[in-house]
Amino acid sequence: MKKILVTGGTGFIGSHTVVELQQHGYEVVIVDDLSNSSVEVLDQIRKITGIRPAFEQFDLVDRERTADFFARHEQLSGIIHFAAFKAAGESMEKPLEYYRNNVVSLLNILDGMKMHGIRDIVFSSSCTVYGQPDQLPVTEDAPFKTAWSPYGNTKQICEDILRFNTLLLPIRVIALRYFNPIGAHDSALIGELPLGVPNNLVPFITQTAIGKRECLSVFGNDYDTPDGTAIRDYIHVVDLARAHVVAVERMIQGNCLHNLEVFNLGTGIGFTVMEVIQSFERVSGVKLNYRIAPRRAGDVEKVWADTRLANETLGWKAVHSLDEMMLSAWNWEKALAKGVG
Ligand code: WQD
């Protein structure tokens, strides 16, 4: 059985990807420092798949601990690297933590790959590398714009590190640029577990609707969009997770066309904040309490993906609708209120 290292595997996208990997016959070992997730996720994964993934808790910024891990896991068929801090807004307040965590952890992983001859890595990247694109939908060959946050800059830096290392090391990289991952597994056993006040729109919506938050602030309605609120390309986390299994299989089967391949993972459809709110109200039957607030620093106005490369080259396509995404997020919030997760 092929074994895959999933760093950040108790996190939101990581846990959903572990489920898909196990259901596709892969053995998984998770490394996570639990700084932004909880260890209970392992039991939730077992309830879904019947298999509790192997797990080691340590910080990948710790060079010795990471080297020790790789020395004990030489038979890895590949790595999916999720572990990173990921809130653009927060990175504006803690830039040094973001650069140290997101960049040094990747360097330590590359050391491990080099030392033990591990060839394949899937890297969790982000549409934030594009900044505000000049053209929409945005394609993979759009230039990196000046990052709007240290978080987005760490993703640009990491992609550059990987690009140069594919020239020097016998490694292959697939960088997946996520747009806006939302929703939760249909079982409502795993989902987005924001610790503290959510930075992201959808958990803030569901927490407001369930009564954990008083009111949603809509950050700006004076953008150049149909209803004045900002546009994003929201993608169901399970669609996103499935793309990672496709990417791992592509590498293991030796089907990569280049040593570094980059794919946008979105739906290709942009929705405004108001359309997301309307979708939520439609599927939940709950009238959402929200107010219009000033724009948030670091937000781009509108971004959505050109998904043709992933659709045609990976043979992967997102299939969930916005309503399905919002209903899954709402079911997850209700499960949390009952004490799941
Ligand atoms: C979406 C829209 C906000 C909260 C983030 C990460 C990014 C990527 C995707 C990983 C924006 C508006 C939000 C609120 C609001 N993650 N909003 N009220 O900022 O597009 O990107 O997730 O790769 O790296 O930064 O997502 O959910 O924060 O915001 O009006 O309380 O909702 O202004 O227009 P974002 P988001």
Side-chain angles (χ1 to χ4, degrees):
M1 182 183 277
K2 296 198 179 305
K3 182 160 74 167
I4 304 292
L5 162 60
V6 178
T7 73
T10 53
F12 175 38
I13 306 166
S15 55
H16 288 79
T17 301
V18 168
V19 164
E20 296 301 319
L21 283 168
Q22 290 182 331
Q23 291 178 336
H24 282 76
Y26 290 92
E27 180 187 353
V28 172
V29 53
I30 293 173
V31 168
D32 202 300
D33 66 0
L34 300 181
S35 62
N36 195 24
S37 58
S38 69
V39 71
E40 286 78 21
V41 168
L42 300 173
D43 291 324
Q44 302 301 98
I45 290 171
R46 184 185 48 74
K47 287 177 193 164
I48 298 169
T49 66
I51 307 163
R52 192 177 196 274
F55 170 68
E56 295 196 26
Q57 178 182 355
F58 65 89
D59 185 348
L60 288 157
V61 173
D62 182 330
R63 188 167 188 175
E64 285 67 39
R65 288 293 304 272
T66 305
D68 168 66
F69 171 86
F70 278 102
R72 291 183 286 105
H73 291 83
E74 285 202 303
Q75 301 312 316
L76 290 172
S77 297
I79 299 170
I80 305 180
H81 181 41
F82 290 107
F85 295 155
K86 64 161 186 170
E90 184 188 50
S91 75
M92 305 289 271
E93 297 149 21
K94 304 176 177 175
L96 293 181
E97 286 87 334
Y98 268 70
Y99 284 110
R100 183 173 298 107
N101 186 64
N102 292 6
V103 178
V104 174
S105 55
L106 177 64
L107 296 178
N108 290 341
I109 287 166
L110 288 171
D111 273 338
M113 294 177 74
K114 182 178 170 184
M115 179 70 73
H116 300 284
I118 298 165
R119 186 186 56 189
D120 297 333
I121 180 168
V122 176
F123 176 66
S124 166
S125 190
S126 170
C127 61
T128 44
V129 302
Y130 298 119
Q132 177 57 63
D134 295 329
Q135 287 180 323
L136 290 170
V138 62
T139 60
E140 289 83 351
D141 56 13
F144 282 2
K145 303 288 283 297
T146 302
W148 286 47
S149 68
Y151 162 77
N153 191 209
T154 64
K155 291 300 181 183
Q156 294 174 335
I157 291 167
C158 287
E159 283 202 23
D160 288 342
I161 289 170
L162 289 164
R163 180 172 296 105
F164 281 110
N165 277 280
T166 55
L167 303 174
L168 303 169
L169 298 177
I171 63 170
R172 293 182 310 200
V173 178
I174 292 182
L176 299 176
R177 292 176 183 164
Y178 310 156
F179 283 69
N180 285 55
I182 65 170
H185 194 266
D186 282 348
S187 64
L189 290 168
I190 53 175
E192 192 164 6
L193 255 180
L195 304 180
V197 179
N199 288 296
N200 293 129
L201 174 67
V202 171
F204 209 109
I205 287 177
T206 57
Q207 288 191 12
T208 301
I210 203 103
K212 281 179 77 170
R213 306 285 162 209
E214 182 56 40
C215 175
L216 168 77
S217 298
V218 173
F219 296 141
N221 69 345
D222 57 351
Y223 286 106
D224 178 19
T225 64
D227 60 29
T229 62
I231 294 174
R232 296 290 185 276
D233 183 333
Y234 297 94
I235 178 171
H236 196 293
V237 64
V238 173
D239 283 332
L240 196 60
R242 288 174 178 155
H244 289 74
V245 180
V246 171
V248 163
E249 286 174 344
R250 178 179 176 81
M251 301 177 104
I252 288 176
Q253 289 158 12
N255 293 333
C256 295
L257 301 175
H258 311 286
N259 284 343
L260 170 66
E261 293 184 316
V262 179
F263 298 99
N264 285 340
L265 295 187
T267 64
I269 303 166
F271 287 107
T272 67
V273 173
M274 287 313 299
E275 286 170 329
V276 174
I277 291 171
Q278 287 148 15
S279 168
F280 175 77
E281 292 183 331
R282 189 164 50 243
V283 301
S284 66
V286 173
K287 182 86 180 73
L288 191 73
N289 184 24
Y290 69 87
R291 69 183 181 93
I292 303 299
R295 294 182 179 191
R296 177 174 67 176
D299 276 351
V300 297
E301 177 177 67
K302 46 194 169 189
V303 59
W304 63 92
D306 182 318
T307 61
R308 282 173 298 174
L309 195 61
N311 299 156
E312 293 161 10
T313 306
L314 293 182
W316 165 90
K317 186 171 175 53
V319 297
H320 289 85
S321 68
L322 181 62
D323 281 8
E324 288 169 329
M325 296 183 223
M326 295 311 291
L327 182 58
S328 71
W330 181 228
N331 289 338
W332 166 241
E333 190 65 61
K334 290 189 286 185
L336 280 176
K338 290 187 197 128
V340 162

